Amino acid sequence: MTPTLVTPQTTIDHVALVKLGDTDLTFISTQDLRNHTVTDSAGKDIGHVSALFVDRKDHRVRFLQISAGGFLGLGDRVFLAPVEDITNLHPLKVQLGHTLDTVEAAPLYDPVLSNWHDAAFWNAYYAHYGLPTMTWPGY
């Protein structure tokens, strides 16, 4: 279920998952999940996919950034979920394998203060969702 990307030649100089919108990467097909509604395992709305985090080394989407609440982007609560937690894709909808309570209890994500270049930061999300942690070779 992981979307496939095409990339121009780039130099990777450090550990990083980066927001897809901050790169020059593009999707091969119509698998872009941004702006899709996100539901929990029971079908309850959580929010929408506001960004995708891509591994700069292998160009794979690794995380969904989910925004919930707020109005016109103000006051949104932001959550992260590994793409491995996606159980179903429907037209304009992504269903996760966990409940809203689990998503809300995920490690705190602050787009300004979070250390995106630290493998432990990302692996805390895999552990929270009960998924095997990633190995980040070459980082």
Side-chain angles (χ1 to χ4, degrees), residues 96-136:
L96 299 179
H98 285 85
T99 65
L100 174 61
D101 290 340
T102 299
V103 174
E104 289 181 331
L108 179 63
Y109 168 70
D110 183 321
V112 176
L113 301 176
S114 296
N115 184 3
W116 301 359
H117 303 292
D118 182 2
F121 170 79
W122 298 107
N123 280 334
Y125 288 94
Y126 286 104
H128 174 76
Y129 286 93
L131 299 166
T133 57
M134 289 290 297
T135 55
W136 305 90

Side-chain angles (χ1 to χ4, degrees), residues 10 18 28-29 35 37-38 47 53-54 64 81 85 88 105 117 124 138:
T10 57
V18 61
I28 290 175
S29 66
N35 297 315
T37 299
V38 178
F53 282 90
V54 180
L64 305 175
D85 197 49
N88 285 305
H117 303 292

